[in-house]
Amino acid sequence: MTKIYAVQHLDSELGDWSALEYATIARECNDAGARFMLCSVSPRLQLPSNLESAPGLQVERRGVETLFADRKERVCLLDPAAEQELSPEDEDLYDVFVFGGILGDDPPRGRQPSFIKGFQGRRLGPIQMTTDTAARAARMVIQERRPLDSLPYIDYPEIRVDEHESVQMPFRYIKDEAGKMIMPPGMVDLIKKDSEKGFGELL
């Protein structure tokens, strides 16, 4: 069974930050033989060209509670409030892994969207991740069957925006084989460009 990674896009707008994340998730899922679904997308929302043409992207107007109503028991919600961590054994239990608009909030909002009802929850550790990092971590655990605590993390990294100033990212990221933090292409430039706005406007 092909694994599906779905983001429930709860906002009426789509910022540059999210567009870069979603395009990255789509590409990585496509490369891994998985599917990426962007759900609950407003009909009035015009996706940017770089996202609309992203390989592996499937845009859905319907929400996950409708799309997967007939197999809720096979849907796993990645919920920071869940009591149990995601594990390789969950590969046998779930086909769909859903990320809501709650993973990237800093600080966490402590809210649970209504679509959580009826789905089983799993947690991706105690530290907030960006949405693309959460999808990457889940895919590594499920498809590569790697324990969550064995993934190569880097927490709260600093990004230098100019020769005098750096910005500390309030999230957990995953490192690549060279030990470098994995971020969507173009994200560092976006952070440098908009660093004076603060992350509240970026996210």
Side-chain angles (χ1 to χ4, degrees):
M1 174 69 70
T2 299
K3 298 302 181 185
I4 298 172
Y5 300 87
V7 168
Q8 185 94 333
H9 187 73
L10 301 177
D11 298 319
S12 59
E13 299 179 350
L14 179 66
D16 293 340
W17 180 293
S18 294
L20 290 178
E21 290 187 327
Y22 293 166
T24 296
I25 297 171
R27 185 186 69 253
E28 292 183 355
C29 284
N30 188 64
D31 291 345
R35 294 167 57 194
F36 173 53
M37 299 176 66
L38 190 58
C39 306
S40 293
V41 176
S42 169
R44 298 185 298 275
L45 181 61
Q46 179 63 49
L47 299 180
S49 57
N50 68 309
L51 178 58
E52 198 167 32
S53 62
L57 175 66
Q58 180 179 339
V59 178
E60 286 284 350
R61 305 301 181 191
R62 294 170 295 171
V64 294
E65 70 280 8
T66 301
L67 287 165
F68 307 114
D70 61 340
R71 47 172 166 161
K72 283 189 174 182
E73 74 283 355
R74 301 293 297 179
V75 176
C76 175
L77 180 79
L78 279 304
D79 179 9
E83 296 182 357
Q84 188 172 338
E85 305 285 8
L86 187 71
S87 72
E89 290 71 30
D90 289 322
E91 192 272 339
D92 300 321
L93 300 178
Y94 304 112
D95 303 319
V96 183
F97 299 86
V98 179
F99 306 84
I102 54 179
L103 284 170
D105 294 335
D106 180 66
R109 300 183 201 179
R111 63 184 175 92
Q112 291 191 337
S114 59
F115 71 83
I116 282 181
K117 296 177 181 178
F119 294 141
Q120 297 297 312
R122 292 290 189 271
R123 195 173 75 141
L124 289 171
I127 299 177
Q128 290 284 295
M129 298 179 180
T130 59
T131 306
D132 66 293
T133 301
R136 186 174 302 113
R139 198 175 56 252
M140 293 171 75
V141 170
I142 295 302
Q143 294 185 237
E144 299 178 17
R145 300 189 72 85
R146 298 171 62 175
L148 186 64
D149 59 7
S150 74
L151 303 185
Y153 298 119
I154 178 171
D155 298 336
Y156 312 125
E158 288 193 0
I159 294 178
R160 185 159 293 281
V161 296
D162 58 39
E163 60 179 317
H164 303 294
E165 184 180 0
S166 62
V167 173
Q168 185 175 48
M169 304 300 291
F171 304 113
R172 164 173 280 182
Y173 292 85
I174 290 176
K175 295 183 287 186
D176 62 18
E177 293 181 356
K180 295 183 179 180
M181 174 176 57
I182 301 175
M183 298 185 81
M187 184 63 77
V188 172
D189 290 337
L190 178 62
I191 291 170
K192 289 180 179 179
K193 177 182 176 182
D194 293 334
S195 60
E196 70 277 3
K197 295 180 181 179
F199 289 109
E201 295 184 34
L202 278 172
L203 297 176

